[in-house]
Amino acid sequence: VNGYYYSYWSKCIYSSRDFSDMVFIMNYNFNKDVYVQFNSTVGYWVGYTAYGVRNAEFWNNDTNHLQGWRAEAER
């Protein structure tokens, strides 16, 4: 198949029964490579490509957007 592959996924990772060590991760992928990621341990978006860096800067500068993602691990 000739074309592009876009996907995203989110997951919560934990090892304790009380979820006290839960980490929320959200990845955006293009052609199977992560280009931007939110990790609740870090607390902000990190870009891994030029496009991802632009997205991360935009999302990190929007405090309401960023607070919403930070709250995902609690939800």
Side-chain angles (χ1 to χ4, degrees):
V1 173
N2 294 330
Y4 297 103
Y5 177 79
Y6 170 80
S7 67
Y8 64 92
W9 57 260
S10 61
K11 68 169 81 172
C12 290
I13 301 169
Y14 58 91
S15 60
S16 65
R17 288 180 181 232
D18 65 355
F19 307 113
S20 61
D21 62 345
M22 180 161 320
V23 176
F24 173 77
I25 299 174
M26 177 75 177
N27 275 355
Y28 285 93
N29 309 290
F30 182 72
N31 286 347
K32 300 183 182 179
D33 291 324
V34 176
Y35 69 89
V36 66
Q37 178 185 76
F38 180 85
N39 181 317
S40 65
T41 302
V42 177
Y44 54 85
W45 291 92
V46 176
Y48 296 102
T49 66
Y51 181 66
V53 169
R54 284 195 309 271
N55 280 276
E57 288 174 355
F58 179 76
W59 293 333
N60 289 335
N61 287 325
D62 182 345
T63 55
N64 289 330
H65 178 85
L66 196 55
Q67 275 305 109
W69 285 108
R70 287 177 177 160
E72 282 299 303
E74 297 300 319
R75 190 171 70 97

